[in-house]
Amino acid sequence: MGGILEIDAQLIVSLNGDSFVVVAEGNYIIVNFKDFKALERVTAGGGKSAASESKPSGTKKSSGGPLKKLNDVNTLIRRLGLVVDVRVGNKSYVEFGAGNSAKIKAAAIFGKIGSFFSK
């Protein structure tokens, strides 16, 4: 990609009954969810994706787990020249594009632990 992508936007996105706010200025994007459950529902995608259904049954799953996926997303966002701050309740959870790997904040860890007790 030739240059740095710059965006100016304010959006309210609704997906499967949950809504979240996306605010962008320049190369910095904030995605804010109202609570951790809304983040989990939106990122869960409601089940299997078309890509996962099309894989043959003998195909081995990729290794690396969730941290590998986060770092893959971070690499893509860095290539675009963007910084994406994912927040829940106005607290930063994960920041992509600011460094060589995704920055997971303490609030994300405590939010995940708290979600286990609310089930």
Side-chain angles (χ1 to χ4, degrees):
M1 190 163 241
I4 294 177
L5 186 63
E6 292 206 17
I7 303 169
D8 287 316
Q10 294 182 5
L11 304 168
I12 297 175
V13 180
S14 293
L15 182 65
N16 298 331
D18 290 305
S19 60
F20 56 95
V21 178
V22 179
V23 178
E25 187 167 327
N27 71 331
Y28 197 83
I29 301 171
I30 297 172
V31 181
N32 190 29
F33 295 87
K34 66 178 182 174
D35 58 27
F36 192 75
K37 287 183 180 183
L39 171 65
E40 284 184 325
R41 286 188 297 266
V42 169
T43 56
K48 293 183 178 180
S49 68
S52 66
E53 291 176 3
S54 65
K55 289 183 182 178
S57 60
T59 305
K60 191 171 111 176
K61 290 185 179 180
S62 64
S63 61
L67 291 179
K68 169 109 172 72
K69 291 178 185 178
L70 288 176
N71 285 328
D72 290 345
V73 170
N74 187 69
T75 301
L76 176 63
I77 290 173
R78 283 191 70 201
R79 283 185 194 153
L80 293 172
L82 299 172
V83 175
V84 178
D85 185 1
V86 178
R87 297 179 181 193
V88 176
N90 295 322
K91 293 180 181 177
S92 288
Y93 267 52
V94 181
E95 188 175 65
F96 298 101
N100 291 331
S101 64
K103 294 180 184 176
I104 302 171
K105 307 292 182 168
I109 296 166
F110 293 128
K112 186 66 177 172
I113 292 169
S115 73
F116 288 126
F117 294 110
S118 64
K119 292 182 181 178

